[in-house]
């Protein structure tokens, strides 16, 4: 994968723009373990309204990351899952973000304790 610095930066910026927001990462993390229904998301993300979750799911669907699947039946049954071609990339980016967060957290703890021992 050879990118110019400008292309690389643009790709990074586009990705961050796509997943930014209060609930999108939470939604992606919930879907990471398998298909979810809107009701499940509402129970997991109690402070997010149904409207906001639906809007975020629609944006993720429009971007080609999430697939909305209507399973029909007498009771409406709709699931959200990753699109097959994006699943590995989404898993990878979430794993990298989690690893980065863990490293950042431990480095912050180490820096904080170092400052306290110097004082």
């Amino acid at each position: 994968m050879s990118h110019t610095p400008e292309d690389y930066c643009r790709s990074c910026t586009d990705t961050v723009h796509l997943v930014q927001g209060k609930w999108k990462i939470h939604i992606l993390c919930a879907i990471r373990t398998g298909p979810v229904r809107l009701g499940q998301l509402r129970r997991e993300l109690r402070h997010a309204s149904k409207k906001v979750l639906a809007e975020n799911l629609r944006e993720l669907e429009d971007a080609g990351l999430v697939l909305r699947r209507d399973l029909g039946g007498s009771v409406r049954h709709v699931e959200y899952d990753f699109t097959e071609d994006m699943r590995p990339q989404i898993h990878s980016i979430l794993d990298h973000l989690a690893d980065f967060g863990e490293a950042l957290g431990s480095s912050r703890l180490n820096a904080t304790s170092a400052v306290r021992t110097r004082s």
Side-chain angles (χ1 to χ4, degrees):
M1 181 185 306
S2 64
H3 293 291
T4 66
E6 294 82 17
D7 290 340
Y8 185 86
C9 188
R10 187 176 313 109
S11 293
C12 290
T13 302
D14 290 348
T15 302
V16 168
H17 179 73
L18 178 64
V19 298
Q20 76 182 5
K22 188 171 183 177
W23 301 110
K24 285 184 182 170
I25 292 292
H26 292 280
I27 291 168
L28 295 174
C29 288
I31 296 173
R32 189 180 190 288
T33 59
V36 296
R37 296 175 69 179
L38 184 58
Q40 285 176 267
L41 285 174
R42 289 187 69 204
R43 284 188 296 277
E44 288 183 34
L45 308 173
R46 291 187 179 134
H47 296 347
S49 70
K50 180 179 179 180
K51 177 185 174 191
V52 167
L53 289 174
E55 286 172 2
N56 279 268
L57 284 163
R58 199 171 305 114
E59 289 173 15
L60 292 168
E61 185 182 5
D62 290 344
L65 300 180
V66 170
L67 177 66
R68 181 183 185 273
R69 203 175 341 207
D70 189 345
L71 302 174
S74 59
V75 176
R76 188 156 201 192
H77 186 116
V78 175
E79 288 183 339
Y80 296 90
D81 197 2
F82 296 139
T83 58
E84 284 305 316
D85 57 331
M86 294 305 292
R87 182 182 313 278
Q89 288 86 352
I90 297 170
H91 279 243
S92 178
I93 196 168
L94 291 174
D95 291 345
H96 287 308
L97 286 170
D99 291 345
F100 181 78
E102 288 175 14
L104 184 62
S106 63
S107 68
R108 281 187 173 169
L109 288 175
N110 292 337
T112 303
S113 62
V115 168
R116 286 185 187 152
T117 57
R118 280 189 243 146
S119 302

